[in-house]
Amino acid sequence: MTAEQTTSPSPATESRAATDRPDGTPHDPYLWLEDVEGDEALAWVRARNAEVADTLETADEFAATERAIREVLDSDAKIPEVSKIGDRYYNFWRDAQHERGVWRRTTLESYRTDDPEWETVLDLDALAAAEGESWVWHGASVLRPTPEQLAAGEPWRHALVELSPGGSDADVTREFDLVEKRFVAPQDGGFHRAEAKGSLGWIDADTVYVFTDFGEGTLTPSGYPRVVKRWTRGTPLDAAVTVYEGTDEDMYISAWRSHTPGFERDFVHRSKAFYSDELYLAERTGTPEQRLTKIDVPDSAEVGVRREWLLVELRDDWTVGGATYRAGSLLAARFDDFLAGDRGFTVLFEPTATTSLAGATWTRHHLVVNVLDDVKNRLHVLTPPDAGGAVGQEAADAPWVRSEIPGLPALGTVAVGAVDPVDTDDLWLVTTDYLTPTTLSLLSLGEHPGDAGAPEVVKSNPAFFDADDMTVAQHFATSDDGTRVPYFVVGRADLVAGTGDGGTGTGTAPTLLYGYGGFEISLTPAYSGALGRAWLSQGGVYVVANIRGGGEYGPAWHQAALKANRHRAYEDFAAVARDLVARGITTPEHLGMEGRSNGGLLAGNMLTQYPELFGAVIVGVPLLDMRRYTKLLAGASWAAEYGDPDDPEQWEFIRTFSPYHLFDAEREYPPVLFTTSTKDDRVHPGHARKLAAKMLGEGKDVTYYENIEGGHGGAANNAQAAHMAAVHYRFLAERLG
């Protein structure tokens, strides 16, 4: 393939008439690049990757950057995050010696030491070598033994391990024996699920729920399971009994069992679309007496059931039982009373102008509510009335008791996770910010309100870069419609201050602005050794914009940028870019931006709608062709976010944020780097390929890199992740100065 051919339509495609297609959509001369592993498409990809190898990767600085990042990723000093399974603490770990990773376990006593003694449970590198497959760890679920089994001393044995070939969302599930540390072969009765999008879930030691590709007609338009079945050990998959079957328009169907002793319940979950779900209490599944009872809450609400309690997190206002509850609120009711028709709720959280619910975590006796207040975390402990010893009517009428956790940081991200929500009130507490290495603490809340002690620091990440002269500032930009948009600025103190705030810098600091703005996902401060080494320590400034479309201020913040209002997210981001210049932190020539996935769509729109604001743009694993996004892989599931391009009225507003169609060969654009993965089966690599090819054909400054493995995350191991990151940072360094 010649250089000329690689930057223009494929010869085979070029010969077709450039007319509209039979379905009325415009002819697309780059459609051939949607053939993920087609010979022509991969030849084009290899040619682009070779250009990167011949340019960015040749500099000494590239090797130094890659090496510095790899040291962070491979460091043995990082916190090994653990999950309690029985009396052991399990961790999945990657480093230089374990490229694909090792699943291992230790005791709490050993974990508390500086050098824990780990027992290997599963070596993924050895497995990949033995089977000739590039396995990527997707996690494991372990069956909790019954109280009777635990009393008899039986071990935690039954695990379901999920592995992906190359990092794709599609994976396999294999049963694993934790005692013998081996897979249970199908011929020995082990549960095995073939490669597909889906999963298995334990019902008991001999029964699982299975939702996967059962053949023609059993997947949703997004490629996810449409059918869930009950599968008994020792029987073929085609003998599994159907529990629930969704419609042709649904997004995902699944089922699971809660194994909390005394509160064992089965549930079927129907995801009709993003932000539209149904949850059913399932009884006697797979039998003629099966009964499904819908949990009667708004489809837009998120529902959780734990022990005797029902929690409802609202995305929209809800009037029920003579009361109206605000969107963003967290409500509680006794589950059995709710099923019996009672619609009285206790409001556990109600949002304000600056606060939103970031999450809620159960321990044995408490609910820990995590709140964002202007993108800073605050924790509150709520204890239900029955946990305090009240009984009967006294318990029904008693309020939830609120208490606080002492010793938490005032700025940064605080996350919590229950150590063992069935048996203890212990919490894992994770604290971090942009300049402070992550710390893992163990916190006991005690059984009663106010019993919480001070957090016990168990592990801390090392400082991977010198942050002594660096600082973090939070500012607010004003968007086109007057909305106040927060953002964080990180870097050397003089640079972050800017010339407009009395800083001593030049006002031309190389600056990377990052954003996402979708799916109600919040961007909160987090430490990154790679960012610190490759960017901040080199005199770069890092900025995170909390634009609309995210969840920083709850559902309303997200819904403000849905569908026809998508432009608000882009206006917010542009406002932050302008504010950085106005503050004298940087200039457009020295300002770069990056976004991934939905953030890649953001980056594509910054590139095509606001090119004058940036000196460089990185578009990672992006959506870009919004005319065809619903036809590509999981794209159909995102219509609730962006709209349906097959509806002519909706296409009229979708086309206003479709970078593939907004590109204008006559305009000047900043240098752009497109990155994606051949194995990305969530966001089709054709998006990045097609816009890159279109821009290259018009002589624009385009760099393109596609990792062969990695899935939507872009990398399947630390080596690939370090290489990809080095490509990003060296591109920015060379373009922004």
Side-chain angles (χ1 to χ4, degrees):
M1 179 175 289
T2 67
E4 182 179 354
Q5 290 171 333
T6 65
T7 57
S8 62
S10 159
T13 307
E14 202 171 19
S15 65
R16 305 178 190 126
T19 59
D20 286 356
R21 296 156 61 194
D23 64 359
T25 60
H27 170 75
D28 185 352
Y30 298 99
L31 199 65
W32 58 280
L33 285 167
E34 292 183 7
D35 186 2
V36 176
E37 296 186 339
D39 291 341
E40 280 186 293
L42 287 181
W44 183 90
V45 168
R46 285 191 289 270
R48 302 285 75 71
N49 287 352
E51 291 171 356
V52 173
D54 291 340
T55 53
L56 284 178
E57 297 178 16
T58 57
D60 292 341
E61 293 85 354
F62 183 91
T65 300
E66 184 178 27
R67 185 166 55 253
I69 297 170
R70 181 72 183 273
E71 287 173 358
V72 173
L73 299 178
D74 284 343
S75 171
D76 292 333
K78 292 184 304 180
I79 298 173
E81 297 179 2
V82 292
S83 299
K84 184 175 181 291
I85 301 174
D87 60 354
R88 300 292 185 90
Y89 291 76
Y90 285 68
N91 162 256
F92 186 78
W93 184 259
R94 291 193 184 101
D95 58 22
Q97 288 73 47
H98 306 93
E99 184 178 66
R100 300 210 169 264
V102 57
W103 195 28
R104 56 189 189 172
R105 62 193 176 197
T106 190
T107 64
L108 180 59
E109 181 182 9
S110 181
Y111 184 66
R112 279 190 161 111
T113 68
D114 293 336
D115 188 20
E117 295 181 4
W118 294 101
E119 175 191 2
T120 297
V121 178
L122 175 63
D123 187 329
L124 218 60
D125 293 274
L127 181 70
E131 299 183 349
E133 185 62 78
S134 299
W135 290 124
V136 175
W137 179 258
H138 268 194
S141 61
V142 181
L143 176 66
R144 180 184 180 87
T146 66
E148 295 77 17
Q149 291 170 330
L150 290 173
E154 294 191 27
W156 293 62
R157 177 182 293 275
H158 303 287
L160 296 169
V161 171
E162 295 187 331
L163 304 171
S164 164
S168 60
D169 284 359
D171 54 18
V172 304
T173 308
R174 297 181 180 178
E175 185 176 354
F176 190 87
D177 189 314
L178 291 177
V179 177
E180 298 185 12
K181 298 188 292 187
R182 65 173 181 85
F183 288 106
V184 184
Q187 56 266 32
D188 297 328
F191 290 109
H192 280 222
R193 179 181 64 88
E195 182 182 346
K197 294 182 180 180
S199 192
L200 302 179
W202 289 112
I203 299 175
D204 56 42
D206 293 314
T207 323
V208 296
Y209 287 117
V210 52
F211 34 106
T212 191
D213 185 356
F214 295 105
E216 186 176 356
T218 63
L219 297 179
T220 69
S222 304
Y224 296 117
R226 191 171 68 83
V227 179
V228 59
K229 299 186 178 186
R230 184 182 176 115
W231 187 13
T232 301
R233 186 184 298 280
T235 65
L237 180 59
D238 59 13
V241 180
T242 297
V243 173
Y244 187 84
E245 183 172 345
T247 72
D248 291 338
E249 288 75 38
D250 285 340
M251 187 174 82
Y252 201 115
I253 304 298
S254 61
W256 66 88
R257 169 169 288 184
S258 170
H259 293 92
T260 302
F263 299 91
E264 295 86 354
R265 303 185 184 100
D266 293 64
F267 295 95
V268 169
H269 181 254
R270 177 192 181 196
S271 179
K272 296 187 289 185
F274 265 98
Y275 329 118
S276 181
D277 302 87
E278 295 176 352
L279 185 68
Y280 296 85
L281 176 66
E283 300 171 279
R284 297 181 292 278
T285 58
T287 72
E289 295 76 34
Q290 175 177 297
R291 182 174 70 172
L292 300 181
T293 303
K294 185 177 182 293
I295 310 304
D296 188 20
V297 301
D299 288 356
S300 62
E302 292 188 21
V303 181
V305 181
R306 172 75 175 41
R307 300 181 67 86
E308 62 266 61
W309 293 102
L310 168 73
L311 295 184
V312 182
E313 182 181 347
L314 297 179
R315 285 198 181 96
D316 299 294
D317 292 350
W318 185 27
T319 300
V320 66
T324 296
Y325 303 100
R326 289 180 56 194
S329 297
L330 180 66
L331 314 178
R334 294 182 183 275
F335 186 56
D336 289 344
D337 292 347
F338 182 86
L339 292 179
D342 187 351
R343 292 299 180 265
F345 288 95
T346 298
V347 179
L348 301 182
F349 171 81
E350 186 174 67
T352 68
T354 63
T355 62
S356 65
L357 183 66
T361 302
W362 282 104
T363 68
R364 171 63 182 86
H365 294 99
H366 311 284
L367 180 71
V368 181
V369 176
N370 197 339
V371 174
L372 279 182
D373 188 349
D374 271 337
V375 207
K376 296 176 283 290
N377 288 101
R378 303 287 183 262
L379 299 182
H380 311 289
V381 181
L382 302 178
T383 306
D386 56 331
V391 296
Q393 190 60 41
E394 180 186 356
D397 297 337
W400 289 60
V401 180
R402 173 168 163 165
S403 56
E404 306 301 327
I405 299 173
L408 298 181
L411 180 67
T413 299
V414 182
V416 295
V419 176
D420 183 349
V422 172
D423 293 326
T424 79
D425 289 298
D426 294 342
L427 284 173
W428 294 118
L429 187 70
V430 178
T431 56
T432 186
D433 62 46
Y434 293 114
L435 300 177
T436 306
T438 303
T439 294
L440 175 70
S441 301
L442 187 60
L443 173 66
S444 178
L445 296 179
E447 183 174 342
H448 303 286
D451 285 352
E456 171 203 348
V457 176
V458 179
K459 302 285 182 184
S460 293
N461 275 342
F464 287 109
F465 62 96
D466 184 359
D468 287 346
D469 62 347
M470 298 182 187
T471 190
V472 179
Q474 186 182 38
H475 299 301
F476 294 84
T478 302
S479 195
D480 289 4
D481 63 355
T483 298
R484 179 173 175 262
V485 182
Y487 66 95
F488 292 98
V489 185
V490 189
R492 221 171 60 214
D494 60 322
L495 301 178
V496 168
T499 58
D501 296 322
T504 58
T506 63
T508 58
T511 301
L512 171 59
L513 173 58
Y514 183 84
Y516 187 78
F519 297 93
E520 206 173 332
I521 292 172
S522 304
L523 299 183
T524 58
Y527 187 85
S528 170
L531 172 74
R533 286 189 168 195
W535 189 248
L536 298 177
S537 295
Q538 307 305 313
V541 172
Y542 181 61
V543 184
V544 175
N546 302 114
I547 61 178
R548 281 175 287 184
E552 289 86 349
Y553 293 106
W557 194 249
H558 167 238
Q559 294 163 10
L562 286 179
K563 296 184 177 179
N565 293 321
R566 199 79 201 166
H567 61 94
R568 291 174 177 166
Y570 309 139
E571 291 166 0
D572 288 0
F573 199 85
V576 173
R578 295 188 185 104
D579 202 61
L580 289 168
V581 174
R583 290 181 180 275
I585 294 173
T586 192
T587 64
E589 295 78 15
H590 297 280
L591 177 60
M593 71 82 49
E594 178 180 7
R596 295 174 51 79
S597 192
N598 171 77
L601 176 60
L602 165 70
N605 277 282
M606 290 299 106
L607 174 71
T608 54
Q609 296 195 54
Y610 300 92
E612 72 282 357
L613 297 182
F614 303 100
V617 174
I618 298 178
V619 186
V621 288
L623 290 93
L624 296 169
D625 182 352
M626 301 305 290
R627 186 68 182 87
R628 286 185 47 77
Y629 87 94
T630 55
K631 308 291 195 298
L632 302 174
L633 299 174
S637 62
W638 308 321
E641 186 83 9
Y642 307 120
D644 180 4
D646 291 332
D647 180 333
E649 291 186 6
Q650 294 189 58
W651 171 241
E652 285 306 305
F653 65 75
I654 295 171
R655 70 191 304 165
T656 67
F657 59 85
S658 180
Y660 189 60
H661 299 89
L662 292 175
F663 170 73
D664 181 355
E666 300 302 315
R667 293 192 74 178
E668 294 294 322
Y669 295 100
V672 55
L673 166 66
F674 294 92
T675 64
T676 188
S677 165
T678 310
K679 284 290 188 178
D680 189 347
D681 57 351
R682 191 181 310 175
V683 177
H684 198 291
H687 285 280
R689 292 174 179 181
K690 289 182 355 176
L691 183 53
K694 184 186 263 191
M695 294 185 70
L696 281 167
E698 297 296 337
K700 306 302 182 184
D701 186 348
V702 174
T703 304
Y704 183 92
Y705 183 80
E706 181 172 320
N707 192 28
I708 302 303
E709 293 186 327
H712 193 53
N717 53 51
N718 290 350
Q720 294 176 14
H723 187 83
M724 180 76 80
V727 169
H728 284 208
Y729 289 120
R730 291 313 309 165
F731 171 81
L732 291 171
E734 292 187 9
R735 298 309 193 276
L736 301 180

